[in-house]
Amino acid sequence: MENKLAIDAKGRIPKTEGANLLFNVISYTVVIVAAILCLLPFEILISGSFTDEKAIALHGYGIIPSKFSLEAYHVLFKFPDSIIRAYGVSIFITVVGTAIGLFITSMTAYVMNRKDFKYRNKLAFFFYFTTLFNGGILSTYIFFVKYLQLKNDLTSLILPLLINVFYLIVMRTFISSIPDSISESAKIDGAGDFTIFMKLILPLTKPGLATIGLFYALDYWNDWYNAMLYITDVNKYPLQYLLFSTLQSAEAISRISKMASVAQISVPTLSLKLAMAVIATGPIILVYPSVQKYFVKGLTVGAIKG
Amino acid sequence: MTKHGFFYEIRKNRTLFLMALPAILLVFLISYIPMAGIILAFKDYRFDLGVFGSHWNGFENFKYFFNSGTGLRVTRNTILYNLMNLITSQLFAVMIAIFINEMRGKYFKKVTQSIIFLPFFISWTIVGVFVYNIFNYETGTLNSVLKSLHMDPVNLYSSPSVWIWIICFFNSWKWVGYTSVIYIASILSIDAECFEAAEIDGANVFQKIFYITIPSISPTIFIMFLLNIGRILRGDFQMFYQIIGNNGQLFDKTDVIDTFVFRSLLTSGDIAMPAAATFYQSVLCFVIIMVVNGVIRKTRPDNALF
């Protein structure tokens, strides 16, 4: 290989440039195609939600609306109660779950990182083991429903996602980049462990807190699975599950439509589903540009250290 | 373990113990207690008698699970899908990471990376909507495009074998942005002098990639593979359930252990077979992870999981 490189350096520089050009063509093409493929489903979704019902039935979902219509959004906003309630549930579990999860995770990560805490490795294994072995959904379900009586209780949506061992490990990596001497000198000055954590460590791990907090928030916001297991009361559906169940059953659509169609309008079921999907995705798309950089930063730190 | 015992430690680090306590209790409650439920696999479960009150029935559940043909089918599908997903998503992620890293236009780089990262933020419910929008027989975008090209529409929901490609595609779609960030981080940590030296020797971009970049990030690729091999028997339940749903026609080719367990639990209320399946899955997972960890410890001791 060295030989080949030497020859290139002697006089065949144009060949190198040719290869570089070829590479640029390939890489830009692949990345552009990938980016288009990533956006296309959103495009089809949004386009479908703005398409006239009859046009969908006739021509199917297209990349651009074959006949523009706002009907689906009209119907949704005519009877917004179930959506507003679902938004409420989603926001509630996201805020409460993220706040508690973040607090407990960072606090535990700090303890696990303290060199003078003798059982820190045992503690790490105690947490790590749960990712290797678990009882499965069956026994968890029975335990939650029969023994904890959490059916139709919002606690059942918060508890299962409250502590994530992977995030705990990432947080520990973050905290390990803070010099131990900070804790030690604060201790000599007479500060308690909890005070050290709250006053000194937390402010220093802001990027870590942001990353983990976003992970938790995303998990709660996108959760439909726990709702499917534990929630049967329509008034307690989180947004994603409301969407899922609406898509699953024509019954839910007709329920909305019956309440909405006081004036006997025909209900656009096909585009209505898509409009609901757009409304459920909306907030994430809106906050996405501003939070994305934290994710990239957080993941980068985690990857280099881990 | 010298002169100071457990109680001495507790007294000395009282605050640290208290700080870790919420997480310990939580994980104990959510993960460890349900582990007791694995005995369900050996029981003839009755809801009124409870987990411990039900009668033992030895290996009956396992016999039933495998003799019905379900056991082998879901095991085969689970392993096949996870292997395919693992290979395709890592391959694409490495490719995208290398391409994006080589790009010069700062703005273009940022925008495309953000777009490719976007699907990571979307819930599987929405992905389920996408899949249905694109592939359903009557109104799907695929068929409307085919029709406009005067071709016959295709009904993918009656051809189970194409779903492995659809699932692979959406799995990569969702994860490539996230995974490529990890690879980009690992590429950025390569010593820049290597690239500079190669450039002076006249290496073109392909040579730099094949002789420097890929060998340098191969430890990361290796670890990503090993981490995921450990989970090869745990399908991504949310993905399968949202994409396939309760589509009976496709089960032969798409049913994985997790969807089988979930469906049996939710629709038929049958406890015996899913309990056996869960136990079988957990034990196999545990064995695989132990083997994988053993391999890592032999080859790259620094990266061992525990």
Side-chain angles (χ1 to χ4, degrees), chain A residues 56-61, chain B residues 132 135-141 143-144 147 153-155:
Chain A
I56 295 180
L58 216 59
H59 310 296
Y61 299 116
Chain B
Y132 186 75
F135 297 115
N136 89 75
Y137 184 67
E138 291 90 13
T139 54
T141 310
N143 280 339
S144 37
K147 268 186 240 163
V154 287
N155 189 2

Side-chain angles (χ1 to χ4, degrees), chain B residues 186-244:
Chain B
S186 140
I187 293 173
L188 288 176
S189 66
I190 302 172
D191 195 347
E193 279 177 20
C194 286
F195 290 110
E196 281 159 20
E199 241 162 82
I200 292 166
D201 284 345
N204 68 31
V205 66
F206 289 103
Q207 288 163 328
K208 277 192 280 176
I209 288 168
F210 285 108
Y211 295 118
I212 302 172
T213 315
I214 292 181
S216 309
I217 62 170
S218 66
T220 313
I221 300 177
F222 185 75
I223 286 301
M224 297 291 272
F225 263 90
L226 288 178
L227 280 175
N228 284 297
I229 288 280
R231 294 212 311 255
I232 199 139
L233 279 153
R234 295 201 197 284
D236 186 338
F237 168 79
Q238 304 215 6
M239 168 176 72
F240 281 98
Y241 198 76
Q242 288 292 351
I243 291 182
I244 305 297

Side-chain angles (χ1 to χ4, degrees), chain A residues 5 59 61 126 240 288 292, chain B residues 32 114 123 139 144 201 238:
Chain A
L5 292 181
H59 310 296
Y61 299 116
F126 174 80
Q240 302 293 335
Y288 170 71
Q292 196 238 140
Chain B
Y32 281 89
S114 304
S123 78
T139 54
S144 37
D201 284 345
Q238 304 215 6

